[in-house]
Amino acid sequence: MKIVVMGPNGAGKSSVGARLAEALGLPCVETDQRVEEQHKTETGEEMSCREIFQACGETHFRALEQNVCETLAEADWCVLITGGSTMLNPESRRALRQNAILIHLTGEADTLWQRAIRRGVPPWLQGEDGPTLFAAQVAQRDEILIPYADIVQDTTALEPAEIAALLAEAVSNEVSLRMASGSAFGTMVCVTTFGESHGPGIGAVFEGVAPGTPISTEDIQRELDRRR
């Protein structure tokens, strides 16, 4: 199980993710850092992600990023912080969704913009229309990624430590839910089983069955015998 933190630039993925990892007692891994390390291994040049993007082009950068994500697909019990565009790549997203809890951080575009430009405006967002393009980018990422998220957290008005505390509780609840869930079968009529299949007892919850439908112990035993 890994915890993947995603969202637009300025949402606080790094600061919140580091505090969340500390709260959960887990190591923290950043895909951007792994991209920089891989680039240095391949070229001998120490460059930031932004510098790699500018010098080598987007195609090369995305290939590095996808390779890192595929390497991290089997990562276990860690908080994994993704780059702003990492999860927009279907292949990278598919790799990191394996055995994971996905957290999407978001917020008001104006607030995220002010955070995102603290270290300078990215080249692709320079100019008078930069804030407008950024707002459209935030909306697009929210639209694409929120449906994949197990947990969604607005970061507009909260400090990183407050957000991390909320997320730690949400992650705990999600883990408990997954550990307690049984095996479910069917769509129109759904049967969810619980207990040990070869133990002294097993139970089942039936959903989609009309109220008052008689189900006797003989009916159940007949189906158990058939399954055996």
Side-chain angles (χ1 to χ4, degrees):
M1 176 73 71
K2 57 183 174 290
I3 299 162
V4 178
V5 181
M6 58 186 186
N9 294 335
K13 296 185 296 295
S14 293
S15 56
V16 171
R19 287 170 173 80
L20 175 61
E22 183 178 0
L24 297 175
L26 298 175
C28 185
V29 179
E30 294 206 38
T31 58
D32 281 356
Q33 182 179 353
R34 292 295 181 92
V35 167
E36 292 168 0
E37 291 172 354
Q38 182 170 322
H39 178 77
K40 183 178 180 180
T41 299
E42 293 179 359
T43 67
E45 299 178 324
E46 190 166 336
M47 301 172 69
S48 68
C49 281
R50 185 173 294 186
E51 290 169 338
I52 297 169
F53 191 100
Q54 289 180 271
C56 304
E58 182 174 6
T59 300
H60 175 75
F61 180 83
R62 297 303 173 201
L64 282 176
E65 189 175 57
Q66 182 176 326
N67 182 262
V68 165
C69 291
E70 290 171 350
T71 301
L72 291 170
E74 301 300 324
D76 201 18
W77 294 111
C78 66
V79 174
L80 184 57
I81 301 168
T82 63
S85 300
T86 304
M87 298 295 276
L88 296 180
N89 179 339
E91 297 302 323
S92 297
R93 187 169 64 239
R94 184 176 295 108
L96 295 187
R97 286 178 63 202
Q98 296 181 41
N99 193 31
I101 294 174
L102 269 58
I103 297 174
H104 183 80
L105 302 182
T106 188
E108 295 179 2
D110 290 344
T111 300
L112 300 188
W113 168 255
Q114 293 303 318
R115 294 175 186 167
I117 63 174
R118 285 173 184 168
R119 292 183 297 170
V121 180
W124 55 90
L125 291 174
Q126 291 179 355
E128 293 183 359
D129 58 349
T132 302
L133 292 174
F134 180 80
Q137 189 180 84
V138 170
Q140 180 200 38
R141 293 177 185 184
D142 283 352
E143 182 180 2
I144 293 172
L145 298 179
I146 284 178
Y148 291 101
D150 300 295
I151 302 167
V152 178
Q153 178 64 54
D154 190 304
T155 69
T156 303
L158 297 173
E159 293 297 320
E162 297 175 296
I163 300 166
L166 291 172
L167 292 177
E169 182 177 359
V171 167
S172 177
N173 291 338
E174 181 69 20
V175 170
S176 297
L177 179 64
R178 295 190 186 192
M179 290 176 66
S181 62
S183 300
F185 307 90
T187 52
M188 295 180 67
V189 175
C190 180
V191 180
T192 302
T193 63
F194 56 89
E196 297 178 271
S197 60
H198 298 286
I202 186 170
V205 177
F206 288 79
E207 297 174 271
V209 179
T213 301
I215 302 176
S216 68
T217 54
E218 289 78 11
D219 294 330
I220 295 172
Q221 188 60 57
R222 182 172 59 252
E223 294 303 313
L224 289 174
D225 292 342
R226 188 168 66 88
R227 178 172 184 260
R228 183 174 57 195

